[in-house]
């Protein structure tokens, strides 16, 4: 008689081959997920920045229609520009009434600058299109979008639509467009 009795019942379990197959499948799935993570983060950051640009535009619209700060009736607007270092959007108060932002001064020394919003995460303004109609657009290196007190409509310099194209610089295929219509409608595509 042996010290270890033989069992007539075989116990079910995983074989070594089955365990290796499961580990290989999990490794492949993890590698696929992790390889797409930077692109996913970039797309998510771009979506967030595009929404922030739309909200900032709405903020200028509300400031203008409510005469924020009281005193003299002033218009508020946004300034966008395309330069290698243009990583900001400026919310400004049109103090001098010329319907444009004086971008020659830094925001800290410019009395018109209300707030500077920095585009972060490798996001930049890639293109600004000024459109007479949705079919006839022309690119521009900069633009000012102005909301005149007390109206909610946007002064787009005689255009009916301004398209602000934002791009993730690490993934140029990731593009979001913020459309600002002269009627005051703002959308993100």
């Amino acid at each position: 008689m042996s010290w270890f009795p033989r069992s007539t019942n075989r116990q079910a379990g995983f074989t070594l081959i089955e365990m290796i197959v499961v580990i290989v499948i999990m490794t492949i799935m993890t590698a696929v997920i992790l390889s797409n993570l930077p692109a996913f983060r970039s797309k998510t950051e771009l979506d967030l920045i595009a929404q922030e640009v739309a909200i900032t535009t709405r903020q200028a619209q509300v400031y203008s229609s409510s005469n924020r700060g009281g005193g003299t009736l002033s218009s508020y607007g946004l300034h966008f520009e395309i330069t290698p270092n243009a990583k900001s959007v400026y919310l400004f108060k049109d103090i001098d009434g010329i319907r444009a932002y004086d971008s020659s001064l830094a925001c800290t020394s410019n009395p018109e600058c209300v707030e500077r919003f920095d585009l972060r995460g490798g996001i930049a303004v890639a293109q600004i299109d000024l459109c007479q109609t949705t079919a006839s657009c022309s690119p521009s290196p900069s633009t000012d979008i102005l909301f005149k007190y007390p109206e909610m409509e946007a002064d787009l310099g005689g255009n009916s639509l301004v398209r602000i194209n934002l791009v993730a610089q690490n993934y140029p295929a990731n593009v979001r467009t913020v459309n600002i219509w002269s009627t005051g409608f703002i959308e993100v595509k």
Side-chain angles (χ1 to χ4, degrees), residues 141-158:
S142 67
T143 191
D144 291 320
I145 297 165
L146 193 69
F147 296 96
K148 298 181 280 186
Y149 176 82
E151 302 167 5
M152 296 293 280
E153 290 83 23
D155 180 356
L156 305 176

Side-chain angles (χ1 to χ4, degrees), residues 19-34:
M19 289 295 287
I20 290 172
V21 167
V22 169
I23 290 171
V24 167
I25 290 171
M26 293 300 291
T27 303
I28 291 171
M29 289 175 54
T30 302
V32 167
I33 290 170
L34 290 178

Side-chain angles (χ1 to χ4, degrees), residues 11-12 25 28 40 50 68 71 75-76 101 109 123 134 146 154 171 173:
Q11 292 190 10
I25 290 171
I28 291 171
F40 175 75
R68 178 182 183 255
S75 301
Y76 285 81
Y101 177 68
S109 60
I123 309 299
T134 54
L146 193 69
Y171 297 93

Side-chain angles (χ1 to χ4, degrees), residues 15-140:
T15 66
L16 182 59
I17 303 264
E18 290 171 331
M19 289 295 287
I20 290 172
V21 167
V22 169
I23 290 171
V24 167
I25 290 171
M26 293 300 291
T27 303
I28 291 171
M29 289 175 54
T30 302
V32 167
I33 290 170
L34 290 178
S35 67
N36 290 329
L37 186 61
F40 175 75
R41 284 179 135 177
S42 175
K43 181 184 176 304
T44 304
E45 187 73 21
L46 180 61
D47 290 340
L48 178 66
I49 296 293
Q51 290 296 329
E52 285 182 9
V53 168
I55 289 169
T56 304
T57 306
R58 178 73 64 208
Q59 183 178 358
Q61 191 178 36
V62 169
Y63 282 3
S64 182
S65 67
S66 65
N67 193 26
R68 178 182 183 255
T72 60
L73 304 178
S74 295
S75 301
Y76 285 81
L78 290 174
H79 175 75
F80 295 91
E81 62 183 44
I82 302 173
T83 63
N85 297 324
K87 299 280 188 184
S88 302
V89 175
Y90 297 93
L91 173 64
F92 69 94
K93 182 176 184 177
D94 188 27
I95 294 172
D96 54 13
I98 62 169
R99 298 180 177 187
Y101 177 68
D102 183 7
S103 61
S104 64
L105 299 173
C107 191
T108 54
S109 60
N110 189 341
E112 285 191 335
C113 185
V114 174
E115 199 168 346
R116 183 182 89 193
F117 296 92
D118 294 324
L119 304 177
R120 61 191 182 282
I123 309 299
V125 176
Q127 186 172 345
I128 300 170
D129 292 326
L130 306 177
C131 307
Q132 296 292 323
T133 65
T134 54
S136 70
C137 297
S138 59
S140 175

